[in-house]
Amino acid sequence: MASESFFTDDNIEVMFDAETLQARIVELGAAIARDYQDDADDLVLIGILKGCFVFLADLVRAVDLPLAVDFIGLSSYGDSTESSGVVRLTTDVSKSIEGRHVLVVEDIVDTGLTMNYLLENLRTRGPKSVKLCSLLEKPDKNTSGIKIDYLGFSIPDKFVIGYGLDYAERYRNLPYVGVLKSTDG
Ligand code: PRP
């Protein structure tokens, strides 16, 4: 490790600190609670593994409704920093989504290829509705026409890490979103 603290490594530039993330998540949670207040019994938040796990954990605690949580495992990047465009379903939901209001929770919409595949797939399963909440979006790269119903932040086309997002499976545990200045080390 280059410096004494992994979290405050000189090679990482902070983009959104923990406080900024939490403040935005409280706003997103309040908007979701307001919009689904009459449908809460049928509401399921589906987190997309693995990147969602930190964001989802904070988001559900900001939504004051009796919601359900499930997960789908998808992988498109492998250990590369570029999307391969090939999406693999590695884990499916544990309970049918037929007749339920689905809110997909993602860490980032980059090219939109992953969501393009997943939202199509979910819509064939008879849900009452399917919406998308993503912490981050790269609007310059999202050319798939994916509409994000609840968005945390729009970001430039930089490879971001932390708060669930990885580089070769590292950095998911950073309490903030950052950018690696160099991937050499
Ligand atoms: C990341 C991210 C999204 C996807 C976005 O997942 O969590 O699911 O890439 O990219 P796209 O919009 O270009 O399709 P990744 O495949 O890195 O897996 P992970 O969540 O396990 O890190």
Side-chain angles (χ1 to χ4, degrees):
M1 200 155 59
S3 64
E4 275 181 30
S5 164
F6 180 66
F7 286 170
T8 58
D9 193 306
D10 289 344
N11 193 32
I12 307 170
E13 185 187 335
V14 178
M15 186 180 271
F16 301 112
D17 64 18
E19 210 176 21
T20 305
L21 292 171
Q22 285 309 317
R24 185 69 188 119
I25 288 166
V26 165
E27 292 176 351
L28 290 175
I32 292 166
R34 188 185 60 231
D35 294 351
Y36 288 95
Q37 58 185 337
D38 298 328
D39 299 307
D41 289 342
D42 294 327
L43 176 61
V44 57
L45 268 60
I46 299 182
I48 309 307
L49 297 170
K50 296 184 235 174
C52 77
F53 78 104
V54 182
F55 175 45
L56 182 71
D58 283 339
L59 182 68
V60 291
R61 285 177 286 178
V63 181
D64 189 1
L65 292 176
L67 53 80
V69 176
D70 213 330
F71 294 94
I72 281 181
L74 287 182
S75 192
S76 63
Y77 276 30
D79 280 350
S80 161
T81 59
E82 287 298 318
S83 177
S84 65
V86 179
V87 181
R88 272 190 314 129
L89 189 101
T90 54
T91 314
D92 208 344
V93 282
S94 60
K95 204 176 158 199
S96 168
I97 60 165
E98 191 173 355
R100 302 172 84 189
H101 290 285
V102 172
L103 180 60
V104 174
V105 179
E106 257 290 23
D107 51 349
I108 185 165
V109 174
D110 193 319
T111 63
L113 288 169
T114 304
M115 274 307 109
N116 208 18
Y117 164 84
L118 182 71
L119 296 177
E120 280 298 307
N121 178 308
L122 294 178
R123 287 191 181 110
T124 65
R125 305 185 190 191
K128 274 189 189 150
S129 68
V130 179
K131 285 190 173 182
L132 173 60
C133 175
S134 183
L135 179 65
L136 305 172
E137 182 201 19
K138 292 181 181 173
D140 295 344
K141 282 186 77 188
N142 177 11
T143 51
S144 304
I146 295 298
K147 176 177 149 263
I148 302 171
D149 302 282
Y150 304 94
L151 174 64
F153 303 96
S154 289
I155 61 168
D157 184 16
K158 291 187 174 179
F159 192 84
V160 281
I161 51 161
Y163 201 69
L165 292 129
D166 74 309
Y167 172 63
E169 293 302 328
R170 270 195 167 177
Y171 302 107
R172 293 193 197 273
N173 59 326
L174 297 181
Y176 55 85
V177 173
V179 179
L180 273 186
K181 292 177 191 166
S182 152
T183 53
D184 297 340

